[in-house]
Amino acid sequence: MSSHYAVRRCIRLSPLLKSFGQRRCISVLRPTIDDEETADRFVSGLSKCEREYLAEALSHVIDQKNGNQELTTKLLATEAVYAGVPFLGFGFLDNTIMLCAGEYIDVTLGSALGISTLAAAAMGNLISDVAGIGTAGTVEAKVKWLLGRSTVLTPKQRDTPRAHRWVFMGRCVSICLGCILGMWPLFLLTSDEDEEDKKKEEVES
């Protein structure tokens, strides 16, 4: 067995369980956890019950450490950014896919079956919504990998009304910016339409 697992220690339960008189401990081989892979290996070696105890104890320690931390404007703004970045990607992909799919449907099925432009746009929106379901997990995972975390607040801090307002504003601003950036196909579509109009004018003249 690796020397990292040479020390046996006992992980005490959280004070919540101690208050009920349940003084138990988990006997585990404690590794020197210095990277994510070692942490995964350590946790995978625990039983389901031990993982629950460990998660509860870690949550209690984090809450004790950060629970009294003041919710400053800087901290809330940072949380709003972390919460909003995924919605920036959602808005960008949603509008991009909708415009491209709607234009393609309008040009092909629209002329062949007599579908109106609004109907083509609705079908394009349907396609973008379905694509959004498939890409939601990927976008969130990439953002978490890029930022290194998905939140800077503890669960208790995130449940405060003030934090909710900042997270809501961050998501609203981000999805608006994403939708605006996702309008870039309009520049290509407009240029194509201008070229077609010029060609028609040349033919008529």
Side-chain angles (χ1 to χ4, degrees):
M1 184 175 293
S2 172
S3 60
H4 289 290
Y5 293 86
V7 182
R8 296 185 64 86
R9 290 189 62 185
C10 180
I11 302 177
R12 295 276 179 190
L13 297 184
S14 68
L16 177 63
L17 291 177
K18 291 182 181 180
S19 64
F20 289 97
Q22 299 178 1
R23 292 182 175 273
R24 302 178 184 175
C25 66
I26 307 168
S27 179
V28 296
L29 290 174
R30 184 190 183 280
T32 301
I33 301 177
D34 51 6
D35 55 31
E36 187 175 350
E37 183 180 354
T38 306
D40 290 340
R41 220 169 35 240
F42 170 68
V43 174
S44 62
L46 302 176
S47 66
K48 181 180 178 181
C49 183
E50 290 171 340
R51 291 175 187 172
E52 292 176 355
Y53 290 153
L54 180 59
E56 186 177 355
L58 287 173
S59 177
H60 180 77
V61 171
I62 292 173
D63 286 343
Q64 271 191 332
K65 184 177 180 182
N66 299 327
N68 298 326
Q69 186 179 5
E70 184 182 356
L71 286 175
T72 62
T73 302
K74 182 179 179 181
L75 190 64
L76 290 169
T78 304
E79 179 69 14
V81 171
Y82 278 100
V85 170
F87 287 84
L88 181 68
F90 297 152
F92 177 81
L93 290 176
D94 185 70
N95 252 11
T96 299
I97 296 173
M98 182 190 71
L99 291 172
C100 293
E103 175 66 13
Y104 180 78
I105 293 171
D106 187 33
V107 171
T108 55
L109 297 179
S111 57
L113 303 178
I115 297 176
S116 66
T117 303
L118 287 177
M123 295 177 68
N125 186 53
L126 172 66
I127 295 173
S128 69
D129 289 342
V130 173
I133 296 174
T135 58
T138 304
V139 172
E140 290 178 352
K142 292 296 183 183
V143 169
K144 187 176 181 180
W145 173 81
L146 181 64
L147 299 179
R149 60 172 69 181
S150 58
T151 181
V152 294
L153 302 180
T154 64
K156 188 177 295 185
Q157 289 173 328
R158 287 198 302 271
D159 286 338
T160 60
R162 194 179 175 198
H164 286 167
R165 288 194 296 268
W166 276 86
V167 168
F168 176 75
M169 287 190 296
R171 289 173 176 173
C172 288
V173 172
S174 296
I175 201 166
C176 288
L177 290 176
C179 289
I180 292 172
L181 295 174
M183 293 180 184
W184 65 269
L186 291 176
F187 294 102
L188 302 179
L189 300 178
T190 303
S191 62
D192 291 340
E193 291 177 356
D194 291 340
E195 290 180 1
E196 291 179 0
D197 292 339
K198 289 180 181 179
K199 290 180 179 179
K200 288 181 180 179
E201 291 177 357
E202 292 176 356
V203 171
E204 290 176 356
S205 59

